[in-house]
Amino acid sequence: MQEDTRIRLIGWHPDQMRALPVLEDEPNFRLRQIAAWIYRRGATEFAVMTDLPAALRKELSRRYSLDLLPVARDLRSCDGSTRKLLFSLVDGLAIEAVQMHEPRRDTVCVSTQVGCAYRCRFCATGRMGLKRNLTAHEILSQVLVVRDGRRAAGSPGHFNLVFMGMGEPLANYEAVTAAIRVLGDDYGLGIGRRRITVSTVGLAPQIRRLAGEPFAPRLALSLNATRDQTRSHLMPVNRRYPIREVLAALAEYRARTGQRTTLEYVLLAGINDAPEDARRLSRFARDCDCTVNLIVFNDHRGNALRGSGPASAEAFRGAMLPHAPTVTLRQSKGQDIQAACGQLCIEARPTGSEE
Ligand code: SF4
């Protein structure tokens, strides 16, 4: 099959499209028309953009593609709460996105890298190592495929978006912020920055940089320990950006952007679930004005770590409640299809091969 060499237009904000051939002399309203067709109406070909001149449509079709990433596999959890999509990339690699059905609105969890360099001990993706960054097109494709699927199923409403899939979003800063701009902006998907959460291991310089962006989203810090020794053991990145420094960056982010910030804390039996941890975590949350999400670790193949039992998790939450602003104990979803937190991992095999 002949390779499609056309430029992928999905991923470009209308303000940036002016840098592209054919579009450089088009007025702003025209670029916004094109963006509305792509991002709002889900156009998959230029021929349907009937408010554009026919000659422009023809030239755009010749030079640009509106293709999304192909879905190689579409898995649903037994309880129907979770859907995991495996996408094929042009270089034979693959990524995953997860759609979680929740009572008030769906949440879509997207990947930002193939694999990850940070090697957190509780995370399956970390075992893959980093293969490469995703492009804005590849990030947006995940969202658009889920959005279009929801529309087809008759659920056109809003959804929340979390950058918590494979990879560290702030290590792929340019593509992730380009994607957020299109996702949140009225000339893009119009999701709104309050519905978008970026989860990070705590890259302090990038947290500060993100705080200066006009479209700064909500931010979640994957903390997981209240002492540097434990955190460095679980998350080697802590040796570079220790707890005190990351919490300072998070507090600054909250103050500068006014956006909600969250501490994510994976509960691990005998490692980070002691009453002293609950006390320290409460103090961190108060000092940084953060909410806290507790998540019981999902046991998975090849990992010796074990999640705290239900009684320990409730006791931990109970110990925090009088002292921390808001604490939730999150129910894990999609464990049967390896779609729960920390379970996303593509095993090395040719893409497109079915189970
Ligand atoms: S938790 Fe996030 S940063 Fe850590 S290894 Fe997994 S994907 Fe990478």
Side-chain angles (χ1 to χ4, degrees):
M1 205 203 309
Q2 207 179 349
E3 195 191 343
D4 185 354
T5 54
R6 292 175 302 165
I7 298 171
R8 291 184 168 80
L9 199 54
I10 288 169
W12 292 79
H13 187 277
D15 293 351
Q16 301 166 319
M17 287 180 188
R18 187 170 307 291
L20 294 168
V22 183
L23 295 170
E24 62 265 77
D25 295 325
E26 293 297 332
N28 280 343
F29 84 87
R30 184 72 77 210
L31 301 179
R32 288 171 184 174
Q33 266 177 322
I34 295 170
W37 274 107
I38 300 172
Y39 299 125
R40 295 292 181 126
R41 297 164 89 164
T44 53
E45 51 186 39
F46 293 99
V48 301
M49 302 182 187
T50 45
D51 48 2
L52 266 55
L56 178 61
R57 277 184 267 152
K58 196 167 164 207
E59 192 56 16
L60 289 174
S61 313
R62 209 171 62 76
R63 297 234 192 190
Y64 296 101
S65 144
L66 296 178
D67 289 349
L68 298 174
L69 291 177
V71 177
R73 263 185 293 161
D74 185 348
L75 303 172
R76 318 250 168 177
S77 64
C78 300
D79 63 1
S81 69
T82 309
R83 178 183 179 205
K84 180 165 85 165
L85 293 158
L86 183 84
F87 294 90
S88 305
L89 307 180
V90 282
D91 50 7
L93 296 169
I95 49 161
E96 295 175 333
V98 177
Q99 178 183 3
M100 290 158 283
H101 301 300
E102 283 163 350
R104 286 175 56 204
R105 63 175 48 99
D106 281 6
T107 296
V108 181
C109 175
V110 295
S111 296
T112 53
Q113 297 182 306
V114 187
C116 181
Y118 287 92
R119 300 191 181 275
C120 304
R121 278 179 188 260
F122 47 83
C123 175
T125 307
R127 291 206 309 269
M128 294 171 64
L130 177 65
K131 311 278 190 241
R132 73 167 169 87
N133 282 333
L134 296 185
T135 63
H137 168 264
E138 289 164 336
I139 295 169
L140 277 165
S141 272
Q142 299 169 63
V143 183
L144 288 170
V145 165
V146 174
R147 194 271 313 265
D148 294 348
R150 295 177 80 246
R151 279 185 180 170
S155 329
H158 293 297
F159 52 89
N160 294 326
L161 194 61
V162 291
F163 287 81
M164 284 186 195
M166 298 168 71
E168 161 55 46
L170 298 186
N172 183 12
Y173 191 90
E174 302 302 337
V176 167
T177 49
I180 290 174
R181 189 167 175 220
V182 172
L183 290 163
D185 194 286
D186 282 344
Y187 297 119
L189 272 79
I191 292 175
R193 61 193 192 111
R194 284 197 164 72
R195 291 193 203 286
I196 302 175
T197 302
V198 166
S199 174
T200 175
V201 276
L203 308 185
Q206 284 91 328
I207 290 174
R208 294 198 165 94
R209 186 174 167 197
L210 190 66
E213 303 285 1
F215 45 82
R218 289 187 167 176
L219 193 66
L221 169 67
S222 183
L223 185 67
N224 309 313
T226 60
R227 284 188 179 283
D228 279 321
Q229 197 184 9
T230 312
R231 192 164 191 265
S232 295
H233 172 72
L234 292 173
M235 306 174 73
V237 69
N238 191 69
R239 293 189 198 114
R240 181 123 190 238
Y241 303 115
I243 292 174
R244 180 191 289 262
E245 184 177 344
V246 182
L247 291 180
L250 196 68
E252 196 178 312
Y253 190 90
R254 172 100 177 98
R256 282 176 70 190
T257 64
Q259 282 282 40
R260 181 190 288 176
T261 47
T262 305
L263 298 176
E264 302 275 350
Y265 197 92
V266 174
L267 286 166
L268 296 158
I271 293 181
N272 65 2
D273 62 352
E276 309 85 83
D277 289 306
R279 260 198 314 277
R280 281 191 291 267
L281 185 56
S282 304
R283 203 179 63 238
F284 294 164
R286 257 197 334 268
D287 292 351
C288 300
D289 191 18
C290 289
T291 57
V292 177
N293 269 350
L294 304 173
I295 311 137
V296 176
F297 176 71
N298 293 299
D299 298 351
H300 52 258
R301 269 197 313 254
N303 196 318
L305 295 171
R306 289 290 164 258
S308 308
S312 309
E314 264 311 329
F316 194 94
R317 176 170 168 270
M320 288 191 69
L321 277 180
H323 311 290
T326 311
V327 186
T328 55
L329 179 57
R330 216 164 77 197
Q331 297 303 320
S332 230
K333 294 177 180 231
Q335 280 157 289
D336 55 326
I337 54 170
Q338 301 280 301
C341 281
Q343 290 185 327
L344 298 188
C345 178
I346 311 280
E347 282 148 23
R349 67 177 163 211
T351 51
S353 63
E354 283 299 318
E355 296 181 318

